[in-house]
């Protein structure tokens, strides 16, 4: 008991650092599969993947992936039925700034019957960091 009292701060730091190491895995599990920027370009080029940017129109206007369609997260349920007729069997890549909103959108699309939905890991930040082009 004396050991715990004397090292309580160290024990708390150990638990906190362990939780921080596990957090990316927990967060990723909720949004489903994710692809890197390089994998996304392969899906776009080889399989004609649709890129859905779920940011607001103002954010979308500042720069987006070439050919991306803007569907804000708040409209993803309605947009799913519009896209479904042509795209349910083709890959859909969902992106946002950092990957937080895209996970929610990807889950919503999967629940609407889209079979091949993935999130862009790291969002547009990762896309920019990879040196890939954006259009305005």
């Amino acid at each position: 008991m004396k050991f715990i009292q004397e090292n309580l701060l160290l024990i708390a730091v150990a638990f906190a650092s362990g939780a921080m190491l596990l957090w990316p895995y927990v967060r990723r599990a909720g949004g489903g599969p994710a692809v890197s920027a390089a994998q996304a370009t392969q899906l776009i080029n080889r399989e004609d993947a649709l890129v859905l940017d779920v940011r607001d129109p103002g954010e979308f206007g500042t720069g987006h992936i070439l050919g991306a369609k803007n569907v804000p997260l708040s409209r993803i349920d309605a947009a799913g039925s519009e896209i479904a007729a042509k795209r349910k069997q083709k890959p859909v890549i969902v992106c946002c700034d950092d990957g937080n909103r895209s996970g929610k959108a990807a889950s919503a699309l999967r629940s609407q019957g889209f079979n091949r939905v993935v999130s862009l890991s790291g969002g547009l930040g990762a896309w920019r960091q990879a040196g890939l082009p954006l259009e305005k």
Side-chain angles (χ1 to χ4, degrees):
M1 189 68 163
K2 185 176 179 182
F3 173 79
I4 293 175
Q5 289 175 342
E6 291 175 358
N7 295 303
L8 188 59
L9 181 62
L10 292 175
I11 293 169
V13 168
F15 277 115
S17 64
M20 286 188 282
L21 287 172
L22 292 176
W23 180 248
Y25 298 107
V26 171
R27 196 177 97 190
R28 188 177 307 145
V35 294
S36 68
Q39 292 167 320
T41 57
Q42 288 179 352
L43 283 173
I44 293 166
N45 293 333
R46 294 181 182 167
E47 298 188 46
D48 191 31
L50 171 66
V51 179
L52 286 183
D53 191 320
V54 295
R55 299 176 300 155
D56 294 327
E59 295 172 294
F60 182 78
T62 63
H64 53 272
I65 295 173
L66 301 170
K69 181 174 178 163
N70 183 225
V71 178
L73 181 58
S74 60
R75 290 192 43 240
I76 201 70
D77 290 329
S81 58
E82 294 172 17
I83 301 164
K86 300 181 270 183
R87 304 297 294 190
K88 271 203 176 176
Q89 301 304 321
K90 292 222 177 206
V92 177
I93 302 167
V94 185
C95 69
C96 63
D97 278 329
D98 55 11
N100 290 331
R101 290 179 274 187
S102 62
K104 294 175 188 173
S107 294
L109 289 171
R110 265 188 233 93
S111 70
Q112 293 178 35
F114 286 85
N115 299 325
R116 299 181 63 196
V117 179
V118 293
S119 295
L120 179 61
S121 181
L124 285 179
W127 187 268
R128 283 186 195 101
Q129 190 174 21
L132 295 168
L134 294 174
E135 69 178 336
K136 290 186 180 186

